[in-house]
Amino acid sequence: MEALAVRLSGLDPYVDGAMRIVAFYDTLMRRRVDLAALARASAGLAECVAGIRLHGTGRSTRVSPHGTQASTPPAPASTEAPITLDEEEIGTVWLERPGPPNPLDEVLLDRFAIAAAAAAERYGPARTTMADPALVELAVSAESDDAARARALRLLGFAPDLPVHVVAVRTCLPLDRVGTLVCPARPVKAAPLADVGVILATTLDRTGFPAGVRAGIGATDSPDRAWRQARTALRFTSAREPVVHHAELGALALLADIPAEAVRDNPDVTAIARLSPEDLETLDTYCATASVRRAADVLHLHHSSIARRLDHIGKTLTLDLTTPTGLTRARLALTTWRLLDD
């Protein structure tokens, strides 16, 4: 490493210095240094503590300018940069410079992060969540044979003796973030398929889905069957129930197989379409609770207000919502009407 022993303090702060930093890290990458050696070289170049943290392990490496493990308490990072691999953020590199940042710190961190990604991929543990969509599709497609599916799952990092949960997701958040939240223990893989995201995970924490995410969960016996179930369950999600497991739908899952033309011709469903958003929320809450008072508690309204709304809704639907038959018809109509949007 002696040939690489340059210092930022001796570099021109502009183009020449930046080019020498790029050459410095190119040499490190050609020598295939590991993360520990990369941190030592970066700390020596920057003349301050340099650090690396990989999200997959949660561990941090802090090295002093002398090439030893930093013994001082961690200081706030003066500058930092994300480590990105396959368009996924897998960690962070940073400098702990006591004074103001050096003009070349940004260039150094950029190359430091690139070199760290290469080292993590080569030596591990990179543990990226995002996977090749073609490989994920092969694992969940009904057109794949058992041998191809098993090979795809093995390449994705799943052991043959472990169950694989399959989740269909609609979200504006990055899929890798959602995947690590619902399966922090890993392995977990995610990829976009058409307009839906798919997450494959060995374990699944239903409470880990962030707000705003809609998720349908399939069974674990067969990935292709689970994927069909997960997409069906996703259609039954709502603002009140954003995460739905197919197994919990029971006979309600049969509603997803009704042709759209038959749904649109049903008078109960067409009546649902005439309700206002406020009435739809009231009816949905009442169907879920089967109680005027419990619905009032959920909606933070007086029970008499809910009773008046339900009376109005019942007249619009020509149903008596106080009877079991009327409530069942209303729930089926509301659920089936929602399926038209998916």
Side-chain angles (χ1 to χ4, degrees), residues 292-297 301-310:
V292 172
R293 290 189 177 275
R294 285 201 292 270
D297 290 339
L301 295 170
H302 194 273
H303 64 85
S304 61
S305 299
I306 297 296
R308 284 194 297 271
R309 286 189 186 182
L310 291 174

Side-chain angles (χ1 to χ4, degrees), residues 86-219:
D86 295 334
E87 299 183 357
E88 178 183 345
E89 184 179 325
I90 64 169
T92 306
V93 293
W94 71 92
L95 299 177
E96 298 176 19
R97 191 176 297 285
N102 186 288
L104 288 169
D105 280 355
E106 185 176 347
V107 178
L108 185 153
L109 281 171
D110 179 66
R111 304 307 297 182
F112 186 8
I114 292 173
E121 184 177 29
R122 181 178 299 114
Y123 300 111
R127 290 189 175 185
T128 55
T129 298
M130 297 304 293
D132 181 354
L135 199 59
V136 172
E137 185 173 14
L138 187 62
V140 301
S141 174
E143 299 178 359
S144 301
D145 57 39
D146 290 342
R149 182 174 297 107
R151 181 175 181 275
L153 289 171
R154 184 172 67 255
L155 291 173
L156 289 168
F158 294 99
D161 57 341
L162 292 178
V164 178
H165 298 268
V166 182
V167 186
V169 176
R170 282 202 179 97
T171 177
C172 295
L173 299 174
L175 276 177
D176 59 286
R177 177 182 170 190
V178 178
T180 53
L181 287 173
V182 299
C183 184
R186 300 176 182 268
V188 56
K189 295 294 180 180
L193 294 183
D195 62 336
V196 178
V198 55
I199 293 175
L200 305 177
T202 51
T203 60
L204 195 64
D205 178 9
R206 290 181 59 171
T207 65
F209 287 101
V213 172
R214 299 286 183 93
I217 304 171

